[in-house]
Amino acid sequence: MTRVMILLQRKYSSIREIDRLTKELEDAFARNDDVSAAMLLEMRADEMAKVDECEGEIWRLGEADLSVLQKLKVLITSDATRAVGESSEEKKIYEIRQKTQTLLEKLRKADEKLNRSVTRDKSFYGSGVKERHPVSL
């Protein structure tokens, strides 16, 4: 449990760094500073790789023991807002997951805004305008 808690905290820290870098990236794009923007994008990619590594390491903890894997599935995939941990470590895991989810939602919105401002109608998130399709009967 302690190792899972540590890995989730590392993941959260990396996501906080991605959030900070995203804010700097917005500033770089606003200044038309392509060199800084490229560097910040690379730094964000590095932090994203750290997040992936933490997640991979968490799942590797359950490879040798089916009961550990089942416990990990509950801890990592259950709804963290409704879950109640049985121990103080489990409660901390759910708390970290809740903070992480809140930060990820904030980051997703910032990323969408940044993506739309840079790419306009070619945005990954679409044009932002809902297309109207005729109703077929």
Side-chain angles (χ1 to χ4, degrees), residues 21-127:
L21 292 168
T22 301
K23 290 172 186 163
E24 286 189 32
L25 186 59
E26 289 172 343
D27 293 341
F29 279 128
R31 295 187 316 269
N32 292 321
D33 184 350
D34 294 340
V35 173
S36 293
M39 182 181 71
L40 290 163
L41 284 169
E42 190 172 316
M43 291 168 68
R44 268 179 37 132
D46 291 344
E47 289 299 322
M48 289 177 190
K50 288 179 186 178
V51 169
D52 288 343
E53 182 56 36
C54 286
E55 290 178 353
E57 196 170 332
I58 289 170
W59 290 114
R60 283 190 292 277
L61 293 172
E63 287 179 346
D65 187 340
L66 184 58
S67 65
V68 172
L69 180 61
Q70 290 172 335
K71 184 67 174 177
L72 282 173
K73 283 182 180 180
V74 170
L75 287 171
I76 303 303
T77 63
S78 62
D79 182 353
T81 59
R82 295 186 202 176
V84 179
E86 296 174 8
S87 68
S88 61
E89 289 172 325
E90 288 181 13
K91 289 176 184 175
K92 185 67 177 172
I93 286 170
Y94 289 128
E95 179 185 319
I96 294 168
R97 284 191 52 225
Q98 286 175 2
K99 289 188 324 186
T100 301
Q101 190 58 43
T102 300
L103 181 58
L104 279 172
E105 184 57 30
K106 176 185 164 208
L107 181 57
R108 188 201 61 76
K109 288 177 182 176
D111 191 65
E112 180 178 352
K113 179 182 170 190
L114 178 63
N115 186 282
R116 285 181 192 275
S117 71
V118 171
T119 60
R120 306 276 184 245
D121 60 339
K122 295 178 183 171
S123 172
F124 169 81
Y125 295 97
S127 65

